[in-house]
């Protein structure tokens, strides 16, 4: 099946200019930054009175995804002036260039990507500190003493499975980083330069391609966080955070 001119350009960008610049490392940094944003979102919601983890955690994951898009915009701005004039337009015949004008495209710097997408679980830091304090004062040399019944153990297994599911979804996004950043590079160049070789229907804002490639992993992460928050609430109904769950189990 023949590639469209747009798909051929994305593949050429990926192979010649994106892949050699450690795109997975760059996207890992972006995802990490998004995780930090998700954590801060959860802390802010907790302080605003959103106590239910089944509600707060998916909202935090959504906040992390929005931060992921914002950090990709920062990535574009960081590399906007790193033009690569030698890349010729793929003509659709298997040959690049000829008398055609070269395409000016963005080239992502190897070490200067944004800081992170995906989302990370959050808990109230003070609740964690209280959990540790209660563990230290809970009785002589006994240390931590988790009192789990069968139901609690099942819910904790559910939490572990959902966390793994969320991590797999984030890992998938990092795995497709070369193609993802190549498409961002192409579309950002189309927006910011006078290059118009592609047909108008093939031109799009960079965020369209990103959302098309990442919406499903993002939904998986949000659902996993919602399910894990609900499961944690079943283990410790009075807890408002992971720290609170640990405190209740250790009491």
């Amino acid at each position: 099946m023949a590639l469209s001119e747009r798909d051929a350009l994305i593949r050429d960008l990926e192979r010649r200019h994106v892949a050699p610049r450690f795109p997975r490392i760059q996207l890992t940094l972006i995802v990490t930054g998004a995780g930090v944003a998700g954590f801060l979102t959860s802390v802010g919601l907790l302080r605003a009175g959103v106590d239910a983890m089944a509600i707060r955690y998916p909202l935090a994951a959504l906040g992390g995804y929005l931060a992921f898009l914002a950090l990709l915009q920062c990535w574009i701005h960081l590399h906007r002036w790193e033009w690569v004039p030698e890349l010729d337009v793929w003509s659709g015949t298997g040959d690049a260039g000829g008398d055609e004008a070269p395409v000016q495209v963005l080239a992502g710097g190897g070490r200067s990507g944004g800081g992170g997408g995906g989302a990370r679980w959050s808990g109230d830091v003070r609740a964690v500190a209280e959990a540790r304090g209660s563990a230290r004062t809970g009785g002589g040399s006994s240390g931590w003493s988790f009192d789990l019944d069968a139901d609690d153990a099942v819910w904790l297994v559910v939490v572990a499975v959902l966390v793994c599911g969320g991590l797999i979804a984030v890992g998938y996004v990092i795995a497709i980083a070369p193609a993802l950043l190549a498409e961002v590079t192409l579309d950002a160049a189309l927006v910011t330069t006078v290059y118009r070789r592609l047909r108008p229907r093939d031109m799009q804002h960079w965020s369209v391609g990103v959302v098309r490639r990442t919406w499903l992993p993002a939904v998986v992460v949000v659902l996993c966080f919602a399910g894990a928050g609900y499961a944690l609430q079943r283990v410790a109904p009075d807890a408002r955070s992971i720290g609170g769950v640990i405190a209740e189990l250790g009491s």
Side-chain angles (χ1 to χ4, degrees):
M1 183 176 178
L3 291 175
S4 68
E5 187 174 22
R6 175 184 174 83
D7 291 337
L9 275 171
I10 291 172
R11 289 199 177 186
D12 202 24
L13 281 169
E14 177 184 348
R15 178 178 58 85
R16 296 173 60 183
H17 295 282
V18 175
R21 298 172 183 270
F22 309 105
R24 290 185 178 90
I25 293 177
Q26 294 188 59
L27 204 64
T28 297
L29 294 174
I30 292 173
V31 168
T32 301
V36 172
F39 171 82
L40 295 176
T41 300
S42 181
V43 171
L45 289 171
L46 182 60
R47 294 183 181 278
V50 182
D51 293 339
M53 288 182 282
I55 296 175
R56 193 173 73 250
Y57 287 168
L59 289 177
L62 182 59
Y65 184 67
L66 295 177
F68 173 74
L69 297 177
L71 288 168
L72 280 174
Q73 179 69 72
C74 293
W75 182 88
I76 291 171
H77 284 302
L78 283 172
H79 303 296
R80 174 152 290 170
W81 304 112
E82 296 182 30
W83 302 104
V84 183
E86 71 271 15
L87 179 63
D88 292 333
V89 176
W90 188 86
S91 62
T93 62
D95 245 344
D99 295 326
E100 301 294 345
V103 184
Q104 288 186 312
V105 295
L106 289 168
R111 294 189 177 87
S112 54
R120 191 185 294 258
W121 277 14
S122 60
D124 186 23
V125 176
R126 286 183 298 180
V128 175
E130 291 169 4
R132 292 175 178 172
S134 64
R136 293 193 187 101
T137 59
S141 60
S142 61
W144 283 95
S145 176
F146 290 102
D147 184 15
L148 289 177
D149 58 25
D151 288 341
D152 289 346
V154 169
W155 284 115
L156 289 177
V157 170
V158 170
V159 170
V161 170
L162 290 172
V163 169
C164 288
L167 290 176
I168 290 172
V170 172
Y172 169 78
V173 173
I174 293 174
I176 65 169
L180 178 65
L181 293 182
E183 187 167 14
V184 171
T185 294
L186 176 63
D187 290 330
L190 290 174
V191 169
T192 57
T193 70
V194 295
Y195 169 63
R196 290 296 182 268
R197 271 298 304 269
L198 291 180
R199 288 168 293 187
R201 66 184 179 85
D202 289 330
M203 298 176 183
Q204 63 185 28
H205 191 267
W206 66 265
S207 62
V208 175
V210 172
V211 172
R212 185 180 67 250
R213 291 177 183 268
T214 62
W215 73 267
L216 185 56
V219 169
V220 170
V221 170
V222 169
L223 292 178
C224 285
F225 275 41
Y230 174 80
L232 288 171
Q233 210 81 66
R234 292 298 301 265
V235 173
D238 296 329
R240 301 189 305 158
S241 65
I242 294 176
V245 174
I246 295 173
E248 284 200 27
L249 291 177
S251 60

